[in-house]
Amino acid sequence: PAMKAMKAPGTALTKGALAQAIADATELKKSEVLAVLGALASVAEQEVKKTGKLTVPGVCMVKTRVRPATKAGKREMFGKVMVVKAKPAKTVVKAFAVAALKKAV
């Protein structure tokens, strides 16, 4: 077999389920964990906006990257020549999993 069969994806944790799981592990109330998650989100937003980088230890790194502008003209896509409009450069946010998390999967 050249390709490994894909595992059937499980359902992702909801915010409430994640908060409950953390609450069970840390002996905090679910409401307190939800407040912490909210604070983490707002701090992350400010930090990424200000410095362009944020690392959540053991989870991921969030970075901003400038996507360069594209010129207008004709471009071949899927064997067809298409006319594309010029697009300005823009900043995009990218998240990278921590190496330890990648190895764990």
Side-chain angles (χ1 to χ4, degrees):
M3 267 177 61
K4 227 167 40 173
M6 292 277 291
K7 271 192 247 163
T11 53
L13 274 179
T14 60
K15 185 178 174 182
L18 176 67
Q20 189 59 57
I22 294 170
D24 294 342
T26 58
E27 295 177 15
L28 290 168
K29 284 192 192 125
K30 186 176 167 185
S31 58
E32 291 173 321
V33 175
L34 281 168
V36 169
L37 287 174
L40 176 67
S42 63
V43 168
E45 190 181 322
Q46 289 165 0
E47 202 57 31
V48 168
K49 207 177 249 186
K50 192 171 77 182
T51 63
K53 188 175 175 181
L54 170 88
T55 305
V56 181
V59 182
C60 68
M61 176 169 60
V62 181
K63 269 189 196 173
T64 57
R65 174 177 176 269
V66 175
R67 185 174 284 164
T70 59
K71 289 182 174 160
K74 294 184 177 120
R75 203 165 295 160
E76 195 171 315
M77 283 187 252
F78 309 112
K80 294 187 183 118
V81 176
M82 296 177 84
V83 177
V84 291
K85 291 180 187 162
K87 290 187 185 132
K90 65 178 186 177
T91 305
V92 291
V93 179
K94 293 189 168 271
F96 302 93
V98 172
L101 193 60
K102 286 184 194 172
K103 286 190 184 113
V105 173

